[in-house]
Amino acid sequence: MSTRACYTFTDLQGEFHVYKHHDGYPFVGGVHNGEPYEGGALCWIQNAKAFAWELPRFEADDFAASFVAANKDGGGGCRLINKAHPWEFSSDSEYWYKIDNTDAAIDVWVEVYSVDWWDRDNRQEKMIMSGALSELLATERARKEVA
């Protein structure tokens, strides 16, 4: 079963939503076929930086397009959402990531929510972490080393 997630990129110009069909959990690390492996949403956001403007310049539409370019692995798996709210497209998402330039001098700012959007009139959203992307990745890597 896929772990679906939505990503919202925000700046003063507005919000841009992206849907990714799989690997939407915040972070996973380990060894696969004898090689170190990292994955999950924080890594997918990090991957987008290679295609986006160099920080501290941050434009939400550019970063959203960069996210798709960095993470698209075939038709439908990663796409723009043409709706005002991500739950209008993806009620089956398990996570929602909000990315902006709150502290772009350091890194993009990420808020991570666990969501239940099945009932659109009673949506459940619980923030599970927030911070600069580099700090969140460092925390998750350290947690995996301890486990």
Side-chain angles (χ1 to χ4, degrees), residues 65-101:
S66 298
F67 182 89
V68 172
N71 296 292
K72 190 154 181 76
D73 57 1
C78 186
R79 62 171 87 187
L80 300 173
I81 299 174
N82 187 20
K83 300 286 184 183
H85 307 289
W87 53 85
E88 294 175 317
F89 176 85
S90 176
S91 60
D92 60 348
S93 286
E94 295 181 48
Y95 293 97
W96 184 18
Y97 298 87
K98 295 182 179 182
I99 300 96
D100 66 36
N101 64 338

PDB file of all heavy atoms in Angstrom, residues 65-101:
ATOM      1  N   ALA A  65       7.542  23.203  -8.788  1.00  0.00           N
ATOM      2  CA  ALA A  65       7.959  22.599 -10.055  1.00  0.00           C
ATOM      3  C   ALA A  65       9.244  21.805  -9.875  1.00  0.00           C
ATOM      4  O   ALA A  65       9.408  20.718 -10.450  1.00  0.00           O
ATOM      5  CB  ALA A  65       8.143  23.683 -11.115  1.00  0.00           C
ATOM      6  N   SER A  66      10.152  22.319  -9.064  1.00  0.00           N
ATOM      7  CA  SER A  66      11.410  21.621  -8.790  1.00  0.00           C
ATOM      8  C   SER A  66      11.162  20.310  -8.053  1.00  0.00           C
ATOM      9  O   SER A  66      11.819  19.299  -8.315  1.00  0.00           O
ATOM     10  CB  SER A  66      12.335  22.520  -7.965  1.00  0.00           C
ATOM     11  OG  SER A  66      12.650  23.679  -8.698  1.00  0.00           O
ATOM     12  N   PHE A  67      10.201  20.323  -7.139  1.00  0.00           N
ATOM     13  CA  PHE A  67       9.841  19.103  -6.415  1.00  0.00           C
ATOM     14  C   PHE A  67       9.364  18.031  -7.394  1.00  0.00           C
ATOM     15  O   PHE A  67       9.780  16.876  -7.316  1.00  0.00           O
ATOM     16  CB  PHE A  67       8.767  19.407  -5.371  1.00  0.00           C
ATOM     17  CG  PHE A  67       8.369  18.217  -4.560  1.00  0.00           C
ATOM     18  CD1 PHE A  67       9.043  17.900  -3.393  1.00  0.00           C
ATOM     19  CD2 PHE A  67       7.327  17.395  -4.965  1.00  0.00           C
ATOM     20  CE1 PHE A  67       8.686  16.780  -2.645  1.00  0.00           C
ATOM     21  CE2 PHE A  67       6.967  16.288  -4.228  1.00  0.00           C
ATOM     22  CZ  PHE A  67       7.646  15.975  -3.066  1.00  0.00           C
ATOM     23  N   VAL A  68       8.502  18.420  -8.318  1.00  0.00           N
ATOM     24  CA  VAL A  68       8.002  17.450  -9.302  1.00  0.00           C
ATOM     25  C   VAL A  68       9.158  16.955 -10.168  1.00  0.00           C
ATOM     26  O   VAL A  68       9.307  15.743 -10.387  1.00  0.00           O
ATOM     27  CB  VAL A  68       6.878  18.065 -10.165  1.00  0.00           C
ATOM     28  CG1 VAL A  68       6.498  17.125 -11.299  1.00  0.00           C
ATOM     29  CG2 VAL A  68       5.662  18.383  -9.301  1.00  0.00           C
ATOM     30  N   ALA A  69      10.001  17.865 -10.650  1.00  0.00           N
ATOM     31  CA  ALA A  69      11.123  17.468 -11.509  1.00  0.00           C
ATOM     32  C   ALA A  69      12.055  16.491 -10.795  1.00  0.00           C
ATOM     33  O   ALA A  69      12.529  15.524 -11.391  1.00  0.00           O
ATOM     34  CB  ALA A  69      11.898  18.702 -11.961  1.00  0.00           C
ATOM     35  N   ALA A  70      12.316  16.728  -9.528  1.00  0.00           N
ATOM     36  CA  ALA A  70      13.251  15.894  -8.774  1.00  0.00           C
ATOM     37  C   ALA A  70      12.670  14.531  -8.413  1.00  0.00           C
ATOM     38  O   ALA A  70      13.428  13.577  -8.216  1.00  0.00           O
ATOM     39  CB  ALA A  70      13.675  16.618  -7.498  1.00  0.00           C
ATOM     40  N   ASN A  71      11.348  14.434  -8.335  1.00  0.00           N
ATOM     41  CA  ASN A  71      10.737  13.233  -7.760  1.00  0.00           C
ATOM     42  C   ASN A  71       9.779  12.482  -8.674  1.00  0.00           C
ATOM     43  O   ASN A  71       9.202  11.483  -8.251  1.00  0.00           O
ATOM     44  CB  ASN A  71      10.012  13.618  -6.468  1.00  0.00           C
ATOM     45  CG  ASN A  71      10.986  14.110  -5.419  1.00  0.00           C
ATOM     46  OD1 ASN A  71      11.784  13.349  -4.899  1.00  0.00           O
ATOM     47  ND2 ASN A  71      10.951  15.401  -5.134  1.00  0.00           N
ATOM     48  N   LYS A  72       9.623  12.919  -9.900  1.00  0.00           N
ATOM     49  CA  LYS A  72       8.695  12.238 -10.805  1.00  0.00           C
ATOM     50  C   LYS A  72       9.366  10.995 -11.373  1.00  0.00           C
ATOM     51  O   LYS A  72      10.432  11.058 -11.938  1.00  0.00           O
ATOM     52  CB  LYS A  72       8.262  13.161 -11.936  1.00  0.00           C
ATOM     53  CG  LYS A  72       7.130  12.589 -12.752  1.00  0.00           C
ATOM     54  CD  LYS A  72       6.341  13.695 -13.390  1.00  0.00           C
ATOM     55  CE  LYS A  72       5.186  13.173 -14.187  1.00  0.00           C
ATOM     56  NZ  LYS A  72       4.085  12.731 -13.364  1.00  0.00           N
ATOM     57  N   ASP A  73       8.716   9.857 -11.173  1.00  0.00           N
ATOM     58  CA  ASP A  73       9.282   8.599 -11.649  1.00  0.00           C
ATOM     59  C   ASP A  73       8.331   7.863 -12.588  1.00  0.00           C
ATOM     60  O   ASP A  73       8.334   6.662 -12.673  1.00  0.00           O
ATOM     61  CB  ASP A  73       9.665   7.707 -10.475  1.00  0.00           C
ATOM     62  CG  ASP A  73       8.493   7.417  -9.553  1.00  0.00           C
ATOM     63  OD1 ASP A  73       7.371   7.882  -9.830  1.00  0.00           O
ATOM     64  OD2 ASP A  73       8.693   6.714  -8.549  1.00  0.00           O
ATOM     65  N   GLY A  74       7.519   8.604 -13.262  1.00  0.00           N
ATOM     66  CA  GLY A  74       6.568   8.005 -14.193  1.00  0.00           C
ATOM     67  C   GLY A  74       5.229   8.720 -14.114  1.00  0.00           C
ATOM     68  O   GLY A  74       5.037   9.618 -13.299  1.00  0.00           O
ATOM     69  N   GLY A  75       4.312   8.334 -14.956  1.00  0.00           N
ATOM     70  CA  GLY A  75       3.021   8.990 -15.027  1.00  0.00           C
ATOM     71  C   GLY A  75       2.225   8.904 -13.743  1.00  0.00           C
ATOM     72  O   GLY A  75       2.097   7.851 -13.141  1.00  0.00           O
ATOM     73  N   GLY A  76       1.732  10.047 -13.293  1.00  0.00           N
ATOM     74  CA  GLY A  76       0.793  10.103 -12.184  1.00  0.00           C
ATOM     75  C   GLY A  76       1.362  10.047 -10.789  1.00  0.00           C
ATOM     76  O   GLY A  76       0.698  10.423  -9.841  1.00  0.00           O
ATOM     77  N   GLY A  77       2.583   9.585 -10.613  1.00  0.00           N
ATOM     78  CA  GLY A  77       3.135   9.394  -9.280  1.00  0.00           C
ATOM     79  C   GLY A  77       3.405  10.675  -8.518  1.00  0.00           C
ATOM     80  O   GLY A  77       3.357  10.703  -7.300  1.00  0.00           O
ATOM     81  N   CYS A  78       3.682  11.738  -9.238  1.00  0.00           N
ATOM     82  CA  CYS A  78       3.975  13.033  -8.626  1.00  0.00           C
ATOM     83  C   CYS A  78       3.428  14.093  -9.562  1.00  0.00           C
ATOM     84  O   CYS A  78       3.834  14.172 -10.713  1.00  0.00           O
ATOM     85  CB  CYS A  78       5.493  13.178  -8.443  1.00  0.00           C
ATOM     86  SG  CYS A  78       5.995  14.645  -7.534  1.00  0.00           S
ATOM     87  N   ARG A  79       2.476  14.880  -9.062  1.00  0.00           N
ATOM     88  CA  ARG A  79       1.803  15.818  -9.966  1.00  0.00           C
ATOM     89  C   ARG A  79       1.301  17.050  -9.243  1.00  0.00           C
ATOM     90  O   ARG A  79       1.115  17.049  -8.033  1.00  0.00           O
ATOM     91  CB  ARG A  79       0.628  15.139 -10.649  1.00  0.00           C
ATOM     92  CG  ARG A  79      -0.426  14.684  -9.637  1.00  0.00           C
ATOM     93  CD  ARG A  79      -1.699  14.207 -10.268  1.00  0.00           C
ATOM     94  NE  ARG A  79      -1.613  12.816 -10.605  1.00  0.00           N
ATOM     95  CZ  ARG A  79      -2.538  12.171 -11.281  1.00  0.00           C
ATOM     96  NH1 ARG A  79      -3.604  12.789 -11.690  1.00  0.00           N
ATOM     97  NH2 ARG A  79      -2.415  10.904 -11.540  1.00  0.00           N
ATOM     98  N   LEU A  80       1.085  18.112 -10.003  1.00  0.00           N
ATOM     99  CA  LEU A  80       0.498  19.333  -9.469  1.00  0.00           C
ATOM    100  C   LEU A  80      -0.973  19.092  -9.177  1.00  0.00           C
ATOM    101  O   LEU A  80      -1.632  18.306  -9.869  1.00  0.00           O
ATOM    102  CB  LEU A  80       0.635  20.471 -10.479  1.00  0.00           C
ATOM    103  CG  LEU A  80       2.060  20.848 -10.875  1.00  0.00           C
ATOM    104  CD1 LEU A  80       2.030  21.871 -12.003  1.00  0.00           C
ATOM    105  CD2 LEU A  80       2.832  21.370  -9.690  1.00  0.00           C
ATOM    106  N   ILE A  81      -1.491  19.763  -8.170  1.00  0.00           N
ATOM    107  CA  ILE A  81      -2.904  19.660  -7.817  1.00  0.00           C
ATOM    108  C   ILE A  81      -3.588  20.954  -8.241  1.00  0.00           C
ATOM    109  O   ILE A  81      -3.203  22.034  -7.796  1.00  0.00           O
ATOM    110  CB  ILE A  81      -3.096  19.448  -6.295  1.00  0.00           C
ATOM    111  CG1 ILE A  81      -2.428  18.149  -5.845  1.00  0.00           C
ATOM    112  CG2 ILE A  81      -4.582  19.447  -5.942  1.00  0.00           C
ATOM    113  CD1 ILE A  81      -2.456  17.956  -4.340  1.00  0.00           C
ATOM    114  N   ASN A  82      -4.588  20.831  -9.071  1.00  0.00           N
ATOM    115  CA  ASN A  82      -5.320  21.985  -9.572  1.00  0.00           C
ATOM    116  C   ASN A  82      -6.600  22.192  -8.761  1.00  0.00           C
ATOM    117  O   ASN A  82      -7.704  22.177  -9.281  1.00  0.00           O
ATOM    118  CB  ASN A  82      -5.652  21.795 -11.055  1.00  0.00           C
ATOM    119  CG  ASN A  82      -6.263  23.040 -11.659  1.00  0.00           C
ATOM    120  OD1 ASN A  82      -6.106  24.129 -11.125  1.00  0.00           O
ATOM    121  ND2 ASN A  82      -6.966  22.877 -12.755  1.00  0.00           N
ATOM    122  N   LYS A  83      -6.434  22.336  -7.457  1.00  0.00           N
ATOM    123  CA  LYS A  83      -7.549  22.576  -6.543  1.00  0.00           C
ATOM    124  C   LYS A  83      -7.115  23.629  -5.542  1.00  0.00           C
ATOM    125  O   LYS A  83      -5.933  23.794  -5.262  1.00  0.00           O
ATOM    126  CB  LYS A  83      -7.936  21.298  -5.784  1.00  0.00           C
ATOM    127  CG  LYS A  83      -8.371  20.146  -6.673  1.00  0.00           C
ATOM    128  CD  LYS A  83      -9.745  20.384  -7.231  1.00  0.00           C
ATOM    129  CE  LYS A  83     -10.205  19.187  -8.044  1.00  0.00           C
ATOM    130  NZ  LYS A  83     -11.491  19.404  -8.660  1.00  0.00           N
ATOM    131  N   ALA A  84      -8.078  24.318  -4.946  1.00  0.00           N
ATOM    132  CA  ALA A  84      -7.751  25.338  -3.950  1.00  0.00           C
ATOM    133  C   ALA A  84      -7.163  24.726  -2.689  1.00  0.00           C
ATOM    134  O   ALA A  84      -6.317  25.329  -2.032  1.00  0.00           O
ATOM    135  CB  ALA A  84      -8.997  26.154  -3.603  1.00  0.00           C
ATOM    136  N   HIS A  85      -7.612  23.511  -2.339  1.00  0.00           N
ATOM    137  CA  HIS A  85      -7.165  22.835  -1.128  1.00  0.00           C
ATOM    138  C   HIS A  85      -6.751  21.412  -1.500  1.00  0.00           C
ATOM    139  O   HIS A  85      -7.443  20.751  -2.263  1.00  0.00           O
ATOM    140  CB  HIS A  85      -8.280  22.783  -0.084  1.00  0.00           C
ATOM    141  CG  HIS A  85      -8.878  24.122   0.204  1.00  0.00           C
ATOM    142  ND1 HIS A  85      -8.211  25.100   0.902  1.00  0.00           N
ATOM    143  CD2 HIS A  85     -10.066  24.652  -0.137  1.00  0.00           C
ATOM    144  CE1 HIS A  85      -8.970  26.167   0.994  1.00  0.00           C
ATOM    145  NE2 HIS A  85     -10.103  25.929   0.362  1.00  0.00           N
ATOM    146  N   PRO A  86      -5.646  20.917  -0.940  1.00  0.00           N
ATOM    147  CA  PRO A  86      -5.183  19.579  -1.345  1.00  0.00           C
ATOM    148  C   PRO A  86      -6.164  18.462  -1.039  1.00  0.00           C
ATOM    149  O   PRO A  86      -6.226  17.480  -1.769  1.00  0.00           O
ATOM    150  CB  PRO A  86      -3.863  19.406  -0.586  1.00  0.00           C
ATOM    151  CG  PRO A  86      -3.864  20.426   0.484  1.00  0.00           C
ATOM    152  CD  PRO A  86      -4.754  21.543   0.028  1.00  0.00           C
ATOM    153  N   TRP A  87      -6.965  18.590   0.021  1.00  0.00           N
ATOM    154  CA  TRP A  87      -7.910  17.521   0.364  1.00  0.00           C
ATOM    155  C   TRP A  87      -9.015  17.382  -0.680  1.00  0.00           C
ATOM    156  O   TRP A  87      -9.681  16.368  -0.728  1.00  0.00           O
ATOM    157  CB  TRP A  87      -8.495  17.721   1.759  1.00  0.00           C
ATOM    158  CG  TRP A  87      -9.114  19.061   1.989  1.00  0.00           C
ATOM    159  CD1 TRP A  87     -10.392  19.452   1.685  1.00  0.00           C
ATOM    160  CD2 TRP A  87      -8.476  20.194   2.573  1.00  0.00           C
ATOM    161  NE1 TRP A  87     -10.584  20.767   2.033  1.00  0.00           N
ATOM    162  CE2 TRP A  87      -9.419  21.246   2.593  1.00  0.00           C
ATOM    163  CE3 TRP A  87      -7.198  20.429   3.082  1.00  0.00           C
ATOM    164  CZ2 TRP A  87      -9.126  22.505   3.090  1.00  0.00           C
ATOM    165  CZ3 TRP A  87      -6.908  21.685   3.584  1.00  0.00           C
ATOM    166  CH2 TRP A  87      -7.873  22.708   3.585  1.00  0.00           C
ATOM    167  N   GLU A  88      -9.212  18.396  -1.519  1.00  0.00           N
ATOM    168  CA  GLU A  88     -10.199  18.288  -2.594  1.00  0.00           C
ATOM    169  C   GLU A  88      -9.745  17.296  -3.663  1.00  0.00           C
ATOM    170  O   GLU A  88     -10.561  16.769  -4.403  1.00  0.00           O
ATOM    171  CB  GLU A  88     -10.429  19.652  -3.244  1.00  0.00           C
ATOM    172  CG  GLU A  88     -11.070  20.656  -2.322  1.00  0.00           C
ATOM    173  CD  GLU A  88     -11.182  22.032  -2.952  1.00  0.00           C
ATOM    174  OE1 GLU A  88     -10.216  22.491  -3.601  1.00  0.00           O
ATOM    175  OE2 GLU A  88     -12.246  22.654  -2.792  1.00  0.00           O
ATOM    176  N   PHE A  89      -8.443  17.042  -3.733  1.00  0.00           N
ATOM    177  CA  PHE A  89      -7.899  16.105  -4.714  1.00  0.00           C
ATOM    178  C   PHE A  89      -7.537  14.772  -4.071  1.00  0.00           C
ATOM    179  O   PHE A  89      -7.726  13.723  -4.665  1.00  0.00           O
ATOM    180  CB  PHE A  89      -6.643  16.700  -5.374  1.00  0.00           C
ATOM    181  CG  PHE A  89      -5.969  15.768  -6.326  1.00  0.00           C
ATOM    182  CD1 PHE A  89      -6.389  15.691  -7.637  1.00  0.00           C
ATOM    183  CD2 PHE A  89      -4.928  14.953  -5.913  1.00  0.00           C
ATOM    184  CE1 PHE A  89      -5.778  14.811  -8.530  1.00  0.00           C
ATOM    185  CE2 PHE A  89      -4.311  14.078  -6.792  1.00  0.00           C
ATOM    186  CZ  PHE A  89      -4.736  14.014  -8.095  1.00  0.00           C
ATOM    187  N   SER A  90      -6.986  14.829  -2.879  1.00  0.00           N
ATOM    188  CA  SER A  90      -6.381  13.638  -2.283  1.00  0.00           C
ATOM    189  C   SER A  90      -6.869  13.403  -0.860  1.00  0.00           C
ATOM    190  O   SER A  90      -6.133  13.586   0.102  1.00  0.00           O
ATOM    191  CB  SER A  90      -4.858  13.799  -2.295  1.00  0.00           C
ATOM    192  OG  SER A  90      -4.257  12.713  -1.657  1.00  0.00           O
ATOM    193  N   SER A  91      -8.099  12.965  -0.734  1.00  0.00           N
ATOM    194  CA  SER A  91      -8.648  12.711   0.601  1.00  0.00           C
ATOM    195  C   SER A  91      -7.975  11.517   1.262  1.00  0.00           C
ATOM    196  O   SER A  91      -8.086  11.339   2.475  1.00  0.00           O
ATOM    197  CB  SER A  91     -10.156  12.481   0.512  1.00  0.00           C
ATOM    198  OG  SER A  91     -10.446  11.366  -0.301  1.00  0.00           O
ATOM    199  N   ASP A  92      -7.247  10.702   0.487  1.00  0.00           N
ATOM    200  CA  ASP A  92      -6.592   9.519   1.049  1.00  0.00           C
ATOM    201  C   ASP A  92      -5.145   9.764   1.470  1.00  0.00           C
ATOM    202  O   ASP A  92      -4.434   8.829   1.815  1.00  0.00           O
ATOM    203  CB  ASP A  92      -6.667   8.347   0.063  1.00  0.00           C
ATOM    204  CG  ASP A  92      -5.992   8.631  -1.266  1.00  0.00           C
ATOM    205  OD1 ASP A  92      -5.661   9.800  -1.540  1.00  0.00           O
ATOM    206  OD2 ASP A  92      -5.809   7.678  -2.038  1.00  0.00           O
ATOM    207  N   SER A  93      -4.706  11.018   1.483  1.00  0.00           N
ATOM    208  CA  SER A  93      -3.347  11.319   1.941  1.00  0.00           C
ATOM    209  C   SER A  93      -3.216  11.029   3.430  1.00  0.00           C
ATOM    210  O   SER A  93      -4.167  11.189   4.195  1.00  0.00           O
ATOM    211  CB  SER A  93      -2.998  12.786   1.690  1.00  0.00           C
ATOM    212  OG  SER A  93      -2.759  13.001   0.322  1.00  0.00           O
ATOM    213  N   GLU A  94      -2.029  10.610   3.821  1.00  0.00           N
ATOM    214  CA  GLU A  94      -1.730  10.366   5.233  1.00  0.00           C
ATOM    215  C   GLU A  94      -0.897  11.486   5.843  1.00  0.00           C
ATOM    216  O   GLU A  94      -0.879  11.649   7.059  1.00  0.00           O
ATOM    217  CB  GLU A  94      -1.013   9.033   5.390  1.00  0.00           C
ATOM    218  CG  GLU A  94      -1.896   7.854   5.009  1.00  0.00           C
ATOM    219  CD  GLU A  94      -1.182   6.531   5.183  1.00  0.00           C
ATOM    220  OE1 GLU A  94      -0.567   6.326   6.249  1.00  0.00           O
ATOM    221  OE2 GLU A  94      -1.238   5.725   4.244  1.00  0.00           O
ATOM    222  N   TYR A  95      -0.185  12.226   4.987  1.00  0.00           N
ATOM    223  CA  TYR A  95       0.664  13.319   5.463  1.00  0.00           C
ATOM    224  C   TYR A  95       0.468  14.547   4.591  1.00  0.00           C
ATOM    225  O   TYR A  95       0.155  14.450   3.405  1.00  0.00           O
ATOM    226  CB  TYR A  95       2.149  12.926   5.428  1.00  0.00           C
ATOM    227  CG  TYR A  95       2.503  11.850   6.416  1.00  0.00           C
ATOM    228  CD1 TYR A  95       2.577  10.520   6.012  1.00  0.00           C
ATOM    229  CD2 TYR A  95       2.752  12.154   7.747  1.00  0.00           C
ATOM    230  CE1 TYR A  95       2.894   9.522   6.911  1.00  0.00           C
ATOM    231  CE2 TYR A  95       3.075  11.159   8.661  1.00  0.00           C
ATOM    232  CZ  TYR A  95       3.146   9.848   8.229  1.00  0.00           C
ATOM    233  OH  TYR A  95       3.460   8.864   9.132  1.00  0.00           O
ATOM    234  N   TRP A  96       0.700  15.699   5.211  1.00  0.00           N
ATOM    235  CA  TRP A  96       0.659  16.983   4.513  1.00  0.00           C
ATOM    236  C   TRP A  96       1.896  17.756   4.951  1.00  0.00           C
ATOM    237  O   TRP A  96       2.162  17.912   6.143  1.00  0.00           O
ATOM    238  CB  TRP A  96      -0.606  17.736   4.891  1.00  0.00           C
ATOM    239  CG  TRP A  96      -0.842  19.032   4.182  1.00  0.00           C
ATOM    240  CD1 TRP A  96      -0.273  19.492   3.025  1.00  0.00           C
ATOM    241  CD2 TRP A  96      -1.768  20.056   4.579  1.00  0.00           C
ATOM    242  NE1 TRP A  96      -0.784  20.709   2.676  1.00  0.00           N
ATOM    243  CE2 TRP A  96      -1.710  21.081   3.631  1.00  0.00           C
ATOM    244  CE3 TRP A  96      -2.637  20.179   5.661  1.00  0.00           C
ATOM    245  CZ2 TRP A  96      -2.485  22.231   3.718  1.00  0.00           C
ATOM    246  CZ3 TRP A  96      -3.400  21.323   5.740  1.00  0.00           C
ATOM    247  CH2 TRP A  96      -3.329  22.337   4.777  1.00  0.00           C
ATOM    248  N   TYR A  97       2.643  18.222   3.982  1.00  0.00           N
ATOM    249  CA  TYR A  97       3.866  18.983   4.231  1.00  0.00           C
ATOM    250  C   TYR A  97       3.664  20.408   3.734  1.00  0.00           C
ATOM    251  O   TYR A  97       3.280  20.606   2.579  1.00  0.00           O
ATOM    252  CB  TYR A  97       5.053  18.334   3.508  1.00  0.00           C
ATOM    253  CG  TYR A  97       5.312  16.933   4.003  1.00  0.00           C
ATOM    254  CD1 TYR A  97       4.649  15.844   3.443  1.00  0.00           C
ATOM    255  CD2 TYR A  97       6.174  16.704   5.065  1.00  0.00           C
ATOM    256  CE1 TYR A  97       4.852  14.563   3.917  1.00  0.00           C
ATOM    257  CE2 TYR A  97       6.380  15.425   5.547  1.00  0.00           C
ATOM    258  CZ  TYR A  97       5.721  14.361   4.973  1.00  0.00           C
ATOM    259  OH  TYR A  97       5.918  13.092   5.458  1.00  0.00           O
ATOM    260  N   LYS A  98       3.898  21.367   4.598  1.00  0.00           N
ATOM    261  CA  LYS A  98       3.819  22.777   4.226  1.00  0.00           C
ATOM    262  C   LYS A  98       5.241  23.327   4.210  1.00  0.00           C
ATOM    263  O   LYS A  98       5.952  23.245   5.211  1.00  0.00           O
ATOM    264  CB  LYS A  98       2.964  23.554   5.218  1.00  0.00           C
ATOM    265  CG  LYS A  98       1.507  23.147   5.236  1.00  0.00           C
ATOM    266  CD  LYS A  98       0.740  24.004   6.225  1.00  0.00           C
ATOM    267  CE  LYS A  98      -0.720  23.662   6.278  1.00  0.00           C
ATOM    268  NZ  LYS A  98      -1.455  24.542   7.203  1.00  0.00           N
ATOM    269  N   ILE A  99       5.636  23.849   3.060  1.00  0.00           N
ATOM    270  CA  ILE A  99       7.001  24.321   2.859  1.00  0.00           C
ATOM    271  C   ILE A  99       6.947  25.800   2.500  1.00  0.00           C
ATOM    272  O   ILE A  99       6.205  26.207   1.607  1.00  0.00           O
ATOM    273  CB  ILE A  99       7.694  23.530   1.724  1.00  0.00           C
ATOM    274  CG1 ILE A  99       7.737  22.029   2.061  1.00  0.00           C
ATOM    275  CG2 ILE A  99       9.099  24.057   1.476  1.00  0.00           C
ATOM    276  CD1 ILE A  99       6.623  21.233   1.468  1.00  0.00           C
ATOM    277  N   ASP A 100       7.750  26.610   3.204  1.00  0.00           N
ATOM    278  CA  ASP A 100       7.810  28.043   2.876  1.00  0.00           C
ATOM    279  C   ASP A 100       9.195  28.585   3.165  1.00  0.00           C
ATOM    280  O   ASP A 100      10.119  27.833   3.456  1.00  0.00           O
ATOM    281  CB  ASP A 100       6.713  28.826   3.608  1.00  0.00           C
ATOM    282  CG  ASP A 100       6.875  28.849   5.118  1.00  0.00           C
ATOM    283  OD1 ASP A 100       8.020  28.910   5.612  1.00  0.00           O
ATOM    284  OD2 ASP A 100       5.850  28.818   5.815  1.00  0.00           O
ATOM    285  N   ASN A 101       9.322  29.886   3.087  1.00  0.00           N
ATOM    286  CA  ASN A 101      10.618  30.541   3.263  1.00  0.00           C
ATOM    287  C   ASN A 101      10.679  31.321   4.569  1.00  0.00           C
ATOM    288  O   ASN A 101      11.331  32.353   4.644  1.00  0.00           O
ATOM    289  CB  ASN A 101      10.908  31.451   2.069  1.00  0.00           C
ATOM    290  CG  ASN A 101       9.917  32.592   1.950  1.00  0.00           C
ATOM    291  OD1 ASN A 101       8.809  32.518   2.457  1.00  0.00           O
ATOM    292  ND2 ASN A 101      10.304  33.650   1.268  1.00  0.00           N
TER     293      ASN A 101
END
